[in-house]
Each structure stands twice: as C-alpha cells, then as structure tokens.
Amino acid sequence: PRSRATTVQPRSRATPAQPRSPAALAMDLHSAEQHANLSRFLLSRREALERHAGEEWSSAGPKSVAPYVPCASARVGALLHAARLSEEDVVYDLGCGDGRVLHAAAAQHGCTCVGLDIDADCIAEASGRAAEQGLSSRCSFAACDLLALTTGALRCGDLGDALAPAERGRRFPPPTAVLIFLTGHGLSRLAPLLHREWEAGPALRLLTCVEALDDVFDYEEGDLFGGGAAELAWAVSRAHVDHGVFVVPPHGMSVAEWEAAEPAPRTPIAPAVADGLSAAVLEGLLGEAEMEAVCELGERMLREQGEEAPPALSLFEGDGVGAVEDFFHAAGE
C-alpha cells in the first residue's frame, strides 16, 4: 500500500465544495507511524529513487500512481477487521507493495489474496515473503500497470495487457473485496474504473486508507473547488474513520445497512486463559533490518528502565525474551 500521512476532513455531499488548504488536514490514530514510514521509505531516499525514474516497472517510474510507502502496521488490523473477511473471500490489494497486508489477511482469515503493483522488485519480495510464511497457496502477486486495467478486468480476473509482459496470460479469481491505499492523486485516477467495477455487481466491497472515495482530492492535477473522483456517486462508511479506514459497501447496500451488520467485537481473552494457551509461531514476518530495528528499540527502552536491565536483546535467538521478562518481573515498579 502506498500512503500519505494525513487525511482530508470529509465534507457533506449536500454542501458546495470548499477550497482545500493544509489547515484542513486531520490526523488519524496511525498518522505518526505512517509519517515515519513516509520518511523512511520515501523522503530519505529521494536521490536513490530518482535513479529509477525511467524504469517502466518501478514505483519511481513513469507508470507509477504513487510512491512505495508501507501501511502503518497498527492500521493493518483495523483495515482487515473493517473488511469483514472470511475464508470464502478473494481480496485484491491494488498497490500491494511488499504484500504485508495480504500476508496478514491470508494468515489470519484464510482468504485468497491477489496483490498487484507496478514495482517488480516489490512483487518479488511479496512472493518471497509469502513462501517463507507458507502462504504461497493463498497469495498471488503480479506486476501490473493499474492505469492500464480495462473495464471488467478486475471482475473476471483477466488483467490482460495491464500485466507485465512476463506475467501475461495469468488468470486470477474475481475479487469480493478490494483494498486500495494510494495517494489522493493515485486514488483519483483509479476511481472511475473502481466505480464501474463496483456498480457492475455482484457484491464487491472497496476499502481505502487515509482517503475516502467520496472526498478524495487530486492535489497534483485537480481543481481546488472540487470535481473529479469525489463527484461520483459513492456510499462510504466512516465507522472506522479513527483508524483512517473507509469502506464502500457492496453496490445496492446502504451505509446504514452495512454498519448495522457490523460484527460484535471479539471478547478479550482473560489473562488466566491466555496463560494456558500455546504460543503460535509465525515465521518470516520480519526481515533482517526489521528485526534489528525491534532489538534496537527494545535495548533503548531497557536502558531507560534501569541499570540492571539486560545489556542486549536477542529476541529472535535462544531465550532472549525470557531474560527480558525476568528483569521486569524482578523490577521494583
């Protein structure tokens, strides 16, 4: 998923569009983490990315609709909950990046997943991580020019010439849910196609992050007084707006009907019950750099807690977790 760190305050469809300004931007619960991802994957790498500006199958290239910035990890759970996924679902992620959202969807909900992205390197990484986690049977990834998708392509799973040459001829199961996490510019350009696919039926729900389809604005090419994708007739649920997640229910279902059918939140497991459960080991979720970052964060936090803390963390080898637990259990506070 490709993202921006802020979102636009929704405006009523009954009121005229007003000029947008930076002051109109609002934060959600995951904006801080999203901005950190933005800095790490885009802002700090501008010079390196510029070297790929001429590459056809790169997120920095001429066909890209948005730069590669992963979804905030804390947002993923809210996104999947809002999607109401089950084993019968087929989930597409348009602009899937390294595939982390679909890996979580497949592992947690057992659904079939299809990730599409312009960046061939991201697709290779997404496929590799799926294999490491034992999810290859549920997750498929393909390099795809999203702007080259034709009407009906998503509906039938035949993406045609929108796929990279080496991918052409592949067929995918039709989606029941589509995730889109792009900049306002990218989402605005895809919105007309998404609207046609959504209207065509059968039931297809759309989920966007940070930007809502009925209020998305293209700051690169748009008119400050509205128009474009936001003027299409969308029904958008904002039940998860605090998480920056917006849901377009299946066509023909009202927002009120969708929200009335919201599943009850799961009852938290009591500590005594949790202590009696065996741990689930999910392998391959983190890369080497991510594991190093977790250990560095843990070591910094331990240094702040006290002088008797373990000098280093080896959370991914041996009994490093046990040493940390022993320290905190023995601490006076």
Side-chain angles (χ1 to χ4, degrees):
R2 316 183 184 289
S3 66
R4 210 174 54 182
T6 54
T7 185
V8 177
Q9 287 279 21
R11 60 179 170 83
S12 169
R13 305 285 297 160
T15 58
Q18 299 297 320
R20 308 295 183 89
S21 71
L25 299 177
M27 307 290 279
D28 61 51
L29 293 175
H30 313 295
S31 291
E33 183 186 354
Q34 199 66 64
H35 183 72
N37 285 352
L38 182 71
S39 298
R40 176 184 174 190
F41 289 90
L42 178 63
L43 301 181
S44 65
R45 301 182 62 240
R46 287 192 180 278
E47 291 186 6
L49 293 173
E50 286 176 0
R51 294 196 290 269
H52 300 279
E55 296 179 12
E56 186 176 17
W57 298 100
S58 168
S59 62
K63 291 185 176 181
S64 177
V65 295
Y68 167 53
V69 179
C71 180
S73 59
R75 194 195 309 275
V76 174
L79 174 62
L80 299 183
H81 173 72
R84 304 181 189 177
L85 300 176
S86 70
E87 292 183 357
E88 288 72 38
D89 276 306
V90 177
V91 185
Y92 279 35
D93 188 350
L94 306 186
C96 66
D98 63 9
R100 63 184 65 191
V101 173
L102 293 185
H103 298 151
Q108 296 174 24
H109 300 278
C111 48
T112 300
C113 299
V114 177
L116 305 175
D117 200 286
I118 192 67
D119 197 300
D121 289 342
C122 280
I123 291 300
E125 182 176 358
S127 298
R129 288 194 175 194
E132 290 172 358
Q133 296 175 45
L135 299 172
S136 295
S137 62
R138 296 177 183 171
C139 294
S140 300
F141 297 93
C144 179
D145 179 0
L146 299 179
L147 295 179
L149 291 170
T150 58
T151 300
L154 290 179
R155 279 291 179 187
C156 67
D158 183 358
L159 308 182
D161 291 344
L163 292 174
E167 308 272 14
R168 289 173 189 167
R170 295 180 66 183
R171 295 290 296 268
F172 303 97
T176 58
V178 176
L179 315 178
I180 317 103
F181 192 3
L182 303 171
T183 61
H185 174 65
L187 186 58
S188 294
R189 297 179 73 184
L190 280 181
L193 170 69
L194 294 171
H195 195 270
R196 292 191 295 271
E197 302 288 75
W198 173 66
E199 280 192 320
L204 176 65
R205 54 202 187 274
L206 310 176
L207 291 95
T208 63
C209 292
V210 177
E211 300 277 4
L213 277 162
D214 65 344
D215 200 38
V216 64
F217 183 77
D218 187 346
Y219 282 90
E220 295 186 34
E221 298 182 5
D223 182 342
L224 286 175
F225 293 93
E231 297 306 314
L232 296 170
W234 293 107
V236 178
S237 168
R238 287 177 163 76
H240 303 275
V241 67
D242 287 349
H243 295 282
V245 175
F246 304 89
V247 183
V248 177
H251 189 256
M253 175 181 285
S254 70
V255 170
E257 290 172 326
W258 173 263
E259 293 180 352
E262 178 81 13
R266 290 183 294 181
T267 303
I269 299 176
V273 176
D275 286 342
L277 299 176
S278 60
V281 179
L282 304 179
E283 298 182 357
L285 289 180
L286 302 178
E288 290 293 332
E290 292 167 320
M291 289 191 288
E292 289 179 7
V294 170
C295 288
E296 289 175 3
L297 173 62
E299 289 171 1
R300 177 172 61 79
M301 295 178 69
L302 286 171
R303 286 195 297 271
E304 294 172 355
Q305 292 289 335
E307 296 179 356
E308 301 301 319
L313 287 177
S314 299
L315 294 178
F316 306 97
E317 298 178 4
D319 193 32
V321 173
V324 175
E325 288 183 337
D326 290 344
F327 163 72
F328 281 111
H329 284 308
E333 295 182 2

